[in-house]
Amino acid sequence: MTGPTRDPDFLRNPYPTYAAMRSACPVRPVPAGSGGTGASGGTGASGGSGGRTSYLVTGYAEAREALVDARLSKDTAVFFAGKGARRRLHPAVAHTMLASDPPRHTRLRKLVTKAFTTGAVKKLRPFIARTTDELLDQWPTGGPHDFVAGLAVPLPVMVICELLGVPQADRTDVQRWSAELFAAGEPDVIDAASHAMADYMTGLVAAKRGAPGDSLLDRLIAARDGDDQLSEDELISLAVLLLVAGHETTTNFLGNALLALLQHPDELTRLRENPDDIPGALDELLRFDSPVSTATFRFTKEAVTLGGTDIPAGVPVLVALGAANRDPARFPSPDALDLERDAASHLGFGHGIHRCVGAPLAKAEAEIALRAVLTRCPAVRLATPPDQLTWRHTRLVRGLASLPILT
């Protein structure tokens, strides 16, 4: 394979390639350097496969099984120990909660889960709605203008920064570093961004210790699990993870969702005429074009058989969430957007103990943003042919570089 990450056709529409892979074998080896699915090793922030053959999972049942199999470890520190990695990722980025197994993962996740409960997110809804309206007020009359730059990027950044207590003046830098962490094929850019982000969060934590507030970051600074306080490294790592994961994927969710609706005018009309149906449509939109295309790094701690394929110990396993969500064995006519479909079992937020802790917040932002756009811009439409849209060259996530629209 020649590296689909760099193939414009694959970036525009990876699903035919995924379907061909899945029909041939839902779990298959991917030789080192082949490019795989555009995620040949990890997050852009958790390392690569180190020149090893990886195994790619494209079937739904197999993906769901892999996501909960304790024999698949996420502990990157163990995987890369002694391997002489040439990367210089900051440890706070390389060894986040996502790159750990129980009991460490259980302990860290417990400390942040309360911030993203349905009740906690409900308290944020007025801020999300107000911020959405303020951003839409800035849209030029007529057009074209860019939905990604005008709403999909700034809204999630503002929301997660508000939640964590990041000062307004710093938010542009935070967004830039976060985007650079997902720059596929640019290890130097990724590594530099990891240090910039971690250094920034170290300084912000120090400032908050001197002048405490009531943000989530302030609560994490004071957090204890029983008698066990967060270490400084754990605190910085959690802060970086929440900041990046809290907006990067939501940005892509918003862009992918609006594009899907614009390409399916009957479904768009239905939601515009019945905006109260938007919450129920979000799962299908997440399934149809998942903002996270490949789950974060895993490797086999021992030999595993998955989907009839024998996988040896000590090799990376890449779970292609986007491919699994288009598996016809689980979702009939998977390439059709059907907002009446029960898609609650999609894997867009992952599955098992590592399922996205921020899922309720992402859904709230998407519901509020889509409702506002369809209400305020009832004639919204694409300003360019779909095959001329530019997709980001990233690992892990799938999203548009821009989405020109007319309103």
Side-chain angles (χ1 to χ4, degrees), residues 286-302:
L286 282 160
R287 181 206 68 80
F288 182 76
D289 203 2
S290 303
V292 178
S293 59
T294 306
T296 47
F297 186 85
R298 285 168 169 77
F299 71 96
T300 50
K301 294 190 291 186
E302 59 187 82

Side-chain angles (χ1 to χ4, degrees), residues 92-336:
V93 175
H95 306 305
T96 68
M97 177 178 72
L98 284 181
S100 65
D101 297 328
R104 179 175 182 264
H105 172 268
T106 307
R107 169 177 162 264
L108 295 177
R109 186 177 174 104
K110 179 180 176 183
L111 293 172
V112 299
T113 298
K114 291 180 181 179
F116 296 99
T117 62
T118 301
V121 169
K122 185 177 180 179
K123 295 179 181 178
L124 271 174
R125 289 181 67 93
F127 175 81
I128 298 170
R130 184 169 65 252
T131 303
T132 298
D133 284 335
E134 290 171 354
L135 288 167
L136 293 181
D137 286 344
Q138 298 172 29
W139 282 16
T141 302
H145 52 279
D146 182 7
F147 173 78
V148 171
L151 187 65
V153 166
L155 176 62
V157 171
M158 292 176 179
V159 172
I160 198 63
C161 285
E162 180 74 11
L163 184 63
L164 285 171
V166 174
Q168 182 73 38
D170 299 339
R171 296 178 184 183
T172 298
D173 287 336
V174 164
Q175 190 277 324
R176 185 181 74 254
W177 295 327
S178 177
E180 290 171 349
L181 283 174
F182 290 87
E186 300 184 68
D188 291 342
V189 171
I190 294 168
D191 291 349
S194 76
H195 284 265
M197 184 74 87
D199 290 347
Y200 171 76
M201 293 308 303
T202 300
L204 183 59
V205 166
K208 286 186 173 296
R209 282 202 174 99
D214 61 356
S215 73
L216 172 57
L217 185 54
D218 290 287
R219 296 197 295 276
L220 288 176
I221 291 170
R224 291 178 180 270
D225 183 15
D227 294 327
D228 184 15
Q229 190 170 14
L230 281 170
S231 71
E232 189 71 8
D233 288 345
E234 288 174 335
L235 177 60
I236 301 304
S237 181
L238 269 179
V240 170
L241 174 63
L242 291 170
L243 198 57
V244 175
H247 74 82
E248 186 71 29
T249 53
T250 306
T251 288
N252 295 326
F253 180 12
L254 291 172
N256 295 3
L258 183 60
L259 175 60
L261 291 172
L262 293 174
Q263 292 183 285
H264 295 81
D266 290 344
E267 302 287 49
L268 176 66
T269 298
R270 173 187 162 186
L271 290 189
R272 186 175 61 240
E273 294 177 351
N274 303 279
D276 288 343
D277 289 347
I278 291 175
L282 296 178
D283 283 327
E284 172 66 356
L285 290 166
L286 282 160
R287 181 206 68 80
F288 182 76
D289 203 2
S290 303
V292 178
S293 59
T294 306
T296 47
F297 186 85
R298 285 168 169 77
F299 71 96
T300 50
K301 294 190 291 186
E302 59 187 82
V304 173
T305 299
L306 185 64
T309 297
D310 294 328
I311 305 176
V315 299
V317 176
L318 315 176
V319 183
L321 304 177
N325 282 337
R326 293 281 189 108
D327 188 342
R330 179 60 188 85
F331 300 105
S333 302
D335 296 329

